[in-house]
């Protein structure tokens, strides 16, 4: 049965490294931009027979949505480990921009088709994290093309090891379907304490040491919405 789940979550952004840190001037710009923006994660589950159709529809939606007023980022990501998993990741300047996007002809035409062919969850990040609550992490990665294959291999090992950590709910590597230099670690933890244990685990420290010359990263923390 097709799902259309609208969930409300949070948007307190933390500039914490899950790999090499961005240059100081870039960090300042990102922090200023983060002050009022709306982040959305839209995970999709697809069947093998519908995957190509959904991916094509999502790419069309990405192309059109990037031209919408107030759009900061819009992309479709594919799991590097599970062909059934896709994520639309989007960022908007403010609520009026998001409202206008949702009323646009490309949205009203394409999104129902995507929902019909997949299981969709729309998670809007709007509130501050609470102590003891599950946390959602988007670790956005910039990887030069010459480092892409090596980085994917290293991150897949990191995913495999991290899935063994206590308190992990979800952990995977996603690749942009439109930009070969963009990747994302999408992870979920039961609470801040288990996330801290993961960050200081030996395998995490080893991974950061191996990947530091291959990717730039920015980590964003959100409260996981209750279903």
């Amino acid at each position: 049965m097709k799902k259309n789940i609208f969930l409300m979550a949070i948007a307190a952004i933390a500039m914490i490294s899950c790999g090499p840190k961005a240059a100081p001037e870039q960090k300042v710009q990102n922090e200023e931009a983060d002050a009022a923006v709306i982040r959305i994660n839209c995970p999709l589950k697809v069947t093998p027979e519908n995957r190509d159709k959904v991916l094509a529809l999502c790419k069309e939606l990405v192309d059109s949505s990037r031209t919408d007023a107030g759009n900061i980022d819009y992309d479709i990501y594919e799991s590097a480990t599970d062909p059934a998993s896709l994520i639309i990741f989007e960022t908007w300047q403010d609520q009026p921009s998001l409202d206008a996007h949702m009323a646009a002809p490309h949205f009203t035409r394409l999104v129902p088709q995507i929902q019909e062919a997949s299981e969709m969850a729309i998670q809007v990040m709007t509130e501050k994290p609470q102590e003891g609550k599950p946390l959602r992490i988007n670790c956005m990665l910039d990887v030069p093309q010459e480092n892409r294959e090596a980085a994917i291999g290293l991150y897949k090992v990191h995913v495999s090891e991290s899935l063994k950590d206590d308190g992990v709910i979800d952990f995977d590597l996603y690749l942009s379907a439109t930009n070969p230099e963009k990747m994302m670690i999408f992870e979920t933890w039961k609470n801040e304490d288990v996330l801290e244990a993961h960050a200081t685990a030996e395998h995490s420290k080893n991974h950061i040491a191996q990947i530091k010359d291959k990717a730039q990263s920015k980590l964003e923390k959100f409260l996981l919405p209750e279903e």
Side-chain angles (χ1 to χ4, degrees), residues 18-117:
C18 58
K21 293 183 178 179
E25 61 273 14
Q26 180 182 350
K27 178 177 178 180
V28 170
Q29 292 171 0
N30 286 335
E31 287 176 339
E32 290 174 352
D34 286 340
V37 300
I38 297 173
R39 297 292 204 294
I40 298 176
N41 287 324
C42 185
L44 305 171
K45 286 293 185 181
V46 297
T47 59
E49 59 269 24
N50 284 346
R51 188 180 189 280
D52 289 346
K53 174 184 177 180
V54 172
L55 191 56
L57 288 168
C58 287
K59 286 182 177 180
E60 184 178 353
L61 179 63
V62 166
D63 287 343
S64 297
S65 300
R66 284 174 173 172
T67 66
D68 287 346
N71 179 252
I72 296 172
D73 188 19
Y74 209 106
D75 207 354
I76 175 70
Y77 287 81
E78 308 173 79
S79 168
T81 67
D82 178 12
S85 295
L86 308 172
I87 292 178
I88 296 173
F89 178 78
E90 52 190 287
T91 309
W92 295 92
Q93 180 176 306
D94 50 31
Q95 188 63 48
S97 299
L98 176 58
D99 292 343
H101 161 68
M102 293 177 65
H106 53 267
F107 183 95
T108 58
R109 177 175 61 86
L110 294 168
V111 171
Q113 295 181 65
I114 295 170
Q115 291 174 329
E116 179 62 27

Side-chain angles (χ1 to χ4, degrees), residues 191-209:
N191 54 51
E192 190 81 36
D193 291 339
V194 296
L195 174 59
E196 179 67 20
H198 160 74
T200 57
E202 197 64 31
H203 72 84
S204 292
K205 292 188 289 186
N206 288 340
H207 167 77
I208 290 174

Side-chain angles (χ1 to χ4, degrees), residues 135-154:
L135 293 170
R136 167 65 42 75
I137 306 293
N138 291 99
C139 185
M140 313 309 296
L141 308 167
D142 291 317
V143 184
Q145 289 197 52
E146 62 268 22
N147 294 339
R148 176 180 166 86
E149 294 307 316
I152 290 174
L154 289 169

Side-chain angles (χ1 to χ4, degrees), residues 132-213:
K133 296 292 187 179
L135 293 170
R136 167 65 42 75
I137 306 293
N138 291 99
C139 185
M140 313 309 296
L141 308 167
D142 291 317
V143 184
Q145 289 197 52
E146 62 268 22
N147 294 339
R148 176 180 166 86
E149 294 307 316
I152 290 174
L154 289 169
Y155 278 117
K156 281 185 175 180
V157 172
H158 187 46
V159 167
S160 177
E161 292 298 316
S162 299
L163 286 171
K164 302 173 186 176
D165 287 346
D166 290 338
V168 66
I169 296 172
D170 184 26
F171 202 104
D172 203 359
L173 171 67
Y174 283 79
L175 312 176
S176 168
T178 69
N179 186 339
E181 296 190 351
K182 297 290 185 182
M183 302 181 189
M184 173 175 64
I185 297 287
F186 186 76
E187 52 188 284
T188 312
W189 298 91
K190 288 184 178 179
N191 54 51
E192 190 81 36
D193 291 339
V194 296
L195 174 59
E196 179 67 20
H198 160 74
T200 57
E202 197 64 31
H203 72 84
S204 292
K205 292 188 289 186
N206 288 340
H207 167 77
I208 290 174
Q210 293 179 66
I211 202 69
K212 65 181 181 179
D213 296 327

